[in-house]
Amino acid sequence: DSVYLEKYLTTPRHIEIQVFADTHGRVVSLHERDCSVQRRHQKVIEEAPAPGMTEELRRTMGEAACRAAEAVGYVGAGTVEFIAEGGALSPGGFFFMEMNTRLQVEHPVTEAIFGVDLVREQIRVAEGFPMSFAQEDLVINGHAIEVRINAEKLPEFAPRPGKITQFHAPGGLGVRMDSALYDGYSIPPVYDSLIAKLLVHGSDRSAALAR
């Protein structure tokens, strides 16, 4: 018989690493996203880079994620998800959870801080082209935060279909809105309650929060 033990984390952080691999043997890490703000095990706010992240831990987690992708011969965009111990992030304090073999809802925060188009890159790699960037090309620029906007009923926050009677999409410098909403749109009762994503980018975390 076997006994499996899970380490109990008192202040868990959900940190994931965006990886990308091509058919020419290259695997890169586009660093981390912090997805710790969740409700009912669903992410609500995602940001990059992760607050409190050190260069040592970023390198360690990135290398671990790239090794995982290399081990299975992965090609394309993927996300290696880790759970880490709380406020004082440390090199030995993170643990593998799973790998999502696709682009995720929160990929625009990574696009924002690196100035890359991951959807375009995914198509290029699928066509057999090498990645258009190398690890040394990826330099973090500022801070990005994405907020998921859900159609829900208060106060229990249950998914709620219905009709959009008025819709105004924010815009301007450093603001991106991903949505198919419009005045008169009927939210269907199937799938999930996510109807829009609001992304902001600023020179640092305070600027992104203010925006």
Side-chain angles (χ1 to χ4, degrees), residues 36-208:
S36 301
V37 180
Q38 302 182 15
R39 179 162 43 77
R40 295 197 308 269
H41 306 295
Q42 291 293 318
K43 300 169 185 175
V44 177
I45 298 175
E46 298 107 345
E47 58 183 305
M53 177 62 69
T54 65
E55 285 301 326
E56 180 185 7
L57 181 57
R58 176 173 292 126
R59 181 177 61 255
T60 303
M61 293 184 78
E63 289 173 352
C66 286
R67 287 198 303 271
E70 289 170 344
V72 296
Y74 192 74
V75 173
T79 304
V80 182
E81 306 213 12
F82 299 97
I83 189 167
E85 181 62 85
L89 293 172
S90 62
F94 68 93
F95 307 89
F96 174 80
M97 289 197 296
E98 63 179 355
M99 181 176 184
N100 282 298
T101 53
R102 54 181 169 80
L103 275 178
Q104 291 187 265
V105 169
E106 59 270 26
H107 79 269
V109 293
T110 299
E111 292 183 327
I113 63 170
F114 288 122
V116 298
D117 185 335
L118 293 179
V119 176
R120 176 181 180 273
E121 204 67 29
Q122 181 94 304
I123 295 170
R124 280 177 45 84
V125 166
E127 292 176 336
F129 292 101
M131 278 183 289
S132 61
F133 50 80
Q135 189 69 67
E136 56 270 20
D137 299 326
L138 298 171
V139 179
I140 295 174
N141 173 30
H143 197 95
I145 301 172
E146 180 182 285
V147 178
R148 301 190 188 203
I149 299 173
N150 299 298
E152 296 180 332
K153 179 185 178 182
L154 298 177
E156 62 269 33
F157 295 103
R160 177 72 179 267
K163 189 173 184 178
I164 300 293
T165 56
Q166 186 177 21
F167 176 68
H168 171 73
L173 182 65
V175 178
R176 167 176 164 177
M177 188 78 169
D178 287 356
S179 179
L181 296 182
Y182 53 85
D183 287 352
Y185 176 80
S186 291
I187 301 168
V190 293
Y191 308 115
D192 62 29
S193 60
L194 178 65
I195 57 174
K197 303 184 301 177
L198 175 63
L199 175 92
V200 291
H201 178 251
S203 57
D204 55 27
R205 190 168 188 257
S206 294

Side-chain angles (χ1 to χ4, degrees), residues 1-47:
D1 293 339
S2 299
V3 176
Y4 293 91
L5 298 177
E6 279 192 2
K7 183 177 178 65
Y8 180 76
L9 304 184
T10 56
T11 52
R13 296 270 298 278
H14 186 137
I15 309 291
E16 60 188 27
I17 304 292
Q18 176 73 65
V19 294
F20 220 106
D22 61 21
T23 57
H24 299 263
R26 291 199 302 167
V27 182
V28 303
S29 163
L30 287 95
H31 302 331
E32 79 283 352
R33 295 186 290 258
D34 190 320
C35 306
S36 301
V37 180
Q38 302 182 15
R39 179 162 43 77
R40 295 197 308 269
H41 306 295
Q42 291 293 318
K43 300 169 185 175
V44 177
I45 298 175
E46 298 107 345
E47 58 183 305

